[in-house]
């Protein structure tokens, strides 16, 4: 049973923060965010939760592989896992930061920091376990797209005063 518990916990960890973000921002997402002028390439509402679910599962399992291959925190996994934790923290703070401040420019800066942290995590993970590095790719794609979408929202809504 223990052989399944650690990877399961690693996979569930990113989702826990994601659920908290959803709880903290659901009101603004249904009101303020829905009123934004979206770019033509904005996806339907169901896309991001589905893609985020997949991304979080991949990231979580990748973190488990790094933890396992480095011998836990006592081994050489401290730096890659600290960068991963930073990536998660930045990811989790983006929605409340954006929705509570209603500052789309700050949202772009926040997404750029998430993207940078995800790139660093992917590189560090790949140096430990190539599969873990590759498991970061869905999240990198998602965050890259979300960053461009965030910039486009900012550009389309610069004159808004909410």
């Amino acid at each position: 049973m223990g052989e399944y518990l650690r990877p399961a916990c690693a996979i569930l960890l990113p989702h826990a923060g994601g659920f908290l973000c959803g709880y903290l921002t659901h009101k603004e997402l249904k009101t303020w965010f829905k009123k934004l002028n979206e770019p033509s390439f904005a996806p339907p509402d169901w896309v991001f939760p589905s893609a985020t679910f997949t991304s979080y599962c991949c990231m979580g399992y990748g973190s488990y592989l790094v933890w396992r291959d480095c011998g836990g925190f006592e081994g050489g996994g401290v730096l890659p896992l600290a960068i991963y934790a930073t990536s998660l923290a930045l990811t989790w703070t983006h929605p409340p930061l954006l929705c509570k401040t209603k500052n789309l420019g700050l949202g772009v800066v926040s997404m750029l920091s998430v993207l940078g942290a995800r790139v660093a995590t992917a590189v560090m993970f790949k140096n430990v376990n190539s599969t873990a590095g590759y498991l970061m790719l869905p999240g990198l794609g998602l965050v890259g797209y979300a960053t461009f979408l965030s910039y486009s929202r900012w550009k389309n809504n610069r004159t808004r005063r909410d």
Side-chain angles (χ1 to χ4, degrees):
M1 177 70 171
E3 65 194 77
Y4 299 108
L5 187 58
R6 286 186 177 127
C9 288
I11 291 168
L12 290 174
L13 174 65
H15 293 283
F19 286 125
L20 179 60
C21 288
Y23 175 77
L24 294 174
T25 60
H26 73 278
K27 180 182 169 197
E28 290 84 4
L29 289 173
K30 290 179 187 263
T31 56
W32 169 75
F33 198 77
K34 288 282 186 196
K35 295 177 187 174
L36 295 175
N37 297 321
E38 291 285 347
S40 61
F41 58 89
D45 289 345
W46 61 268
V47 170
F48 269 102
S50 303
T52 300
F53 178 83
T54 302
S55 170
Y56 279 171
C57 289
C58 291
M59 290 169 53
Y61 190 68
S63 73
Y64 164 73
L65 294 175
V66 169
W67 181 85
R68 181 198 68 191
D69 290 359
C70 287
F73 294 112
E74 293 81 30
V78 173
L79 182 58
L81 293 172
I83 292 172
Y84 170 66
T86 301
S87 170
L88 282 180
L90 290 169
T91 299
W92 294 336
T93 58
H94 171 75
L97 181 69
L98 174 66
C99 290
K100 298 301 182 184
T101 67
K102 298 179 180 160
N103 184 329
L104 295 172
L106 184 59
V108 173
V109 172
S110 173
M111 283 306 304
L112 286 168
S113 68
V114 171
L115 182 59
R118 292 277 183 101
V119 168
T121 302
V123 169
M124 293 298 288
F125 276 20
K126 180 133 179 22
N127 289 338
V128 174
N129 179 302
S130 62
T131 300
Y134 291 127
L135 283 169
M136 290 298 293
L137 293 179
L140 280 174
L142 175 64
V143 170
Y145 176 72
T147 301
F148 183 62
L149 189 59
S150 182
Y151 169 77
S152 298
R153 279 190 189 111
W154 169 76
K155 192 172 145 190
N156 288 353
N157 293 279
R158 284 185 286 189
T159 58
R160 282 185 68 99
R161 298 284 183 248
D162 289 314

